[in-house]
Amino acid sequence: MYEQDVAVYDSRRIVPANAHTSPTTERPLVRRTLILVAVAFMALTLVLPLVLVFVEAFRKGADTYFAAFADRHSQTAIALTLTVAAIAVPLNLVFGVAAAWCVAKYEFWGKSFLTTLIDLPFSVSPVVSGMVYVLLFGAQSVLGPWLRSMGIEIIFAVPGIVLATIFVTFPFIARELIPLMQAQGSTDEEAALSLGATGWQTFWRVTLPNIKWGLLYGVLLCNARAMGEFGAVSVVSGHIRGRTTTMPLDIEILYNEYNFAAAFAVASLLALLALVTLLIKTILEVRFGAELAGTRRH
Amino acid sequence: MDIRVENIRKQFSLYPALDDVSLDIRSGELIALLGPSGSGKTTLLRLVAGLETPTAGRIYFGDEDASLRTVQERNVGFVFQAYALFRNMTVLDNVSFGLTVRPRATRPPKAEIRRRALELLDLVQLTGLEKRYPQQLSGGQRQRVALARALAVEPTVLLLDEPFGALDAQVRQELRKWLREIHDRTGHTTVFVTHDQEEALELADRLVVMSQGRIEQVGSPDEIYDRPANPFVFSFIGESSALPVTVKNHEVWTGGRAIGLPAPHEATGPASLYFRPHDIELVEDGAALAGVVAASRRVGGTRRVELEIGGHPDRVEIDLPFDHPAGERTRIAFRPKRWRVFPAGRGS
């Protein structure tokens, strides 16, 4: 009963699209040249290197390629990378949701400072973040002797790698959720509370479903970075093969040993991860673009 | 249930959104909070709901002090301007939400919840749409789902924040009538916020006119319209003309002469005369207000003319029949049929 009348257009009055050129359109020659330049640049800097990774990996045949993964050190590197991501991503999921909730739904003193602080890992060089942890927990630090007496190893061990990865990937989920939650406001939550729901019920049944796609998007980016992080992890890891090397570090070591086939084989796994991430990211953007806040920001 | 608001103050950062507001809401009535934006009407509604906490003052639900109770404990039905429907749930799940989140001890069985939700959807005339999602409904339908959802928890009071504000005029008209019907059938104490005086006058049993964090007047639509308590209410509700005058010898004077309006109870001194443009009579002779036509325009079936009165630049507006021969600079004498005189100093 409330439907609006659908406007009916006279089809004879629709002007062919090419009859007038839009003022923002260039002449065909300029247009083609610009497109060509852009495509060539992209091919050179993005597509070619990616293709090269796989070409190099398979240069000595599929046998050599798969032999690279039979190597014990490479296997532990893959396992370590998965372990680190499995710890860092869920923790950042919780931190990110909590931080975004806090920033988006409450007004408090120092809020803009906190928002800036969340961005810090983006603006600080990963090497610096690694150094900070060495200074904080390393043998020469204030905490060093005490940690050693307690038998706790952080630097040149797995805990340090996890800490550095968490630091570097912290902003991904929070940054994705803050604008989304700000745009959604708090009325849905207020509605749930006024209907008698507890805070916990409100979170699980109202807030979380509202942000789920944005959250998945953030997790995806966070995971890609967690697995691919090099700088910060390199500083805290100590490069002990078979114990503290993640996939990116393993690739570097293999490469420095002139073991190109193995280096590119492991690199191809990371490249594959990037491609899968991009694919899911694109699917999310196409299907749920409206429910993602900062699409195409990263 | 009676609701009593006692000396409520609400301070946001520096300025008070509500300044010492007291109000009695009677059980079963439909009451409107009416005022311009920034008058504090929505803040008052949210305070009653428990969505805001007062800086000072108390709110009683019946005889119980509800000031310290949380929004969940107050059991209110709140309808938001932008609907605030849960977009990941169907219409049926939205309406059932309030019942499904209850602790196990007081939660009705699943079948019972479903039955009650369907019953409410029938009440709001949305039978058959229970499987739809909010995005698949029109604005008017969404607001009706929101109302059904609020009614599902059997609230002690129903609170509506600009419920029709986001809808187009025709739908708003329809929903207005329909809300009145629902109210009369269910008998809930209902408070709604609006900035639309027509809506408030048509719908409410009583009106609370607010401005700048204070209550200006409380009364029935007739009282508010016919006997405005102060210049603000007079000029905010309906159309009005105002003129600075003097009260002398219990009569209203302007331009150095009496204009034939007695003022037996008003204090001598400067004052403001308020009247409605349509509520006047043209006079041929005797004491009256006289002025020359400065501008005129057609408003519906009448002509609204601006008159320059006497020696001062103030203009008043009056309505003339649209076939009245008055043209530019024509001299017109008139007397308000009903008017109010307010002491100067509290102008609006």
Side-chain angles (χ1 to χ4, degrees), chain A residues 12-13 44 67 141 148 226 244 271 289:
Chain A
R12 284 164 303 175
R13 293 187 56 202
L44 196 70
S141 72
R148 196 155 9 146
T244 64

Side-chain angles (χ1 to χ4, degrees), chain A residues 1-2 4 184 186-199 201-202 204-206 209-210 212 291, chain B residues 46 51 71-72 76 78 80 84-89 97-98 100-101 138 144 149-150 153 168 171 174-175:
Chain A
M1 72 217 268
Y2 302 118
Q4 303 287 321
Q184 286 178 348
S186 316
T187 41
D188 281 15
E189 281 79 12
E190 282 178 349
L193 293 175
S194 77
L195 291 165
T198 61
Q201 284 171 322
T202 304
W204 283 109
R205 299 188 53 175
V206 176
N210 279 349
K212 64 184 170 200
E291 294 174 52
Chain B
R46 291 171 60 87
L51 291 170
V71 53
Q72 291 101 327
V76 297
F78 202 103
F80 295 83
L85 294 178
F86 307 131
R87 70 204 90 164
N88 57 310
M89 299 181 202
F97 184 85
T100 56
V101 295
S138 71
R144 288 189 279 165
R149 183 177 71 176
V153 297
D168 59 49
V171 179
E174 232 167 288
L175 280 193

Side-chain angles (χ1 to χ4, degrees), chain B residues 134-295:
Chain B
Q135 305 89 289
Q136 299 167 314
L137 301 178
S138 71
Q141 291 171 328
R142 287 184 205 185
Q143 198 54 295
R144 288 189 279 165
V145 175
L147 187 73
R149 183 177 71 176
L151 289 171
V153 297
E154 287 164 359
T156 47
V157 56
L158 191 59
L159 306 167
L160 304 100
D161 184 11
E162 303 249 4
F164 313 130
L167 302 170
D168 59 49
Q170 201 190 336
V171 179
R172 202 178 330 184
Q173 271 290 349
E174 232 167 288
L175 280 193
R176 220 187 265 172
K177 254 184 259 160
W178 167 85
L179 177 66
R180 181 76 230 187
E181 279 169 33
I182 296 255
H183 174 265
D184 294 343
R185 270 169 74 182
T186 59
H188 281 102
T189 309
T190 306
V191 187
F192 75 100
V193 160
T194 180
H195 63 261
D196 180 347
Q197 48 168 302
E198 203 185 309
E199 188 169 292
L201 288 166
E202 183 183 325
L203 194 53
D205 297 323
R206 285 201 305 154
L207 264 66
V208 179
V209 183
M210 299 182 68
S211 135
Q212 294 177 358
R214 292 171 177 280
I215 291 181
E216 298 284 347
Q217 189 174 3
V218 182
S220 70
D222 288 346
E223 282 165 8
I224 298 275
Y225 193 85
D226 295 336
R227 291 187 294 284
N230 56 46
F232 174 82
V233 179
F234 208 119
S235 49
F236 185 67
I237 305 282
E239 295 180 306
S240 64
S241 272
L243 188 70
V245 294
T246 315
V247 175
K248 210 158 60 181
N249 302 334
H250 301 296
E251 269 202 281
V252 178
W253 291 57
T254 182
R257 55 201 192 85
I259 53 172
L261 304 179
H265 306 296
E266 280 76 10
T268 300
S272 296
L273 172 73
Y274 280 81
F275 60 90
R276 308 248 179 239
H278 61 85
D279 211 7
I280 55 126
E281 54 187 348
L282 299 177
V283 290
E284 296 299 329
D285 46 26
L289 268 166
V292 290
V293 175

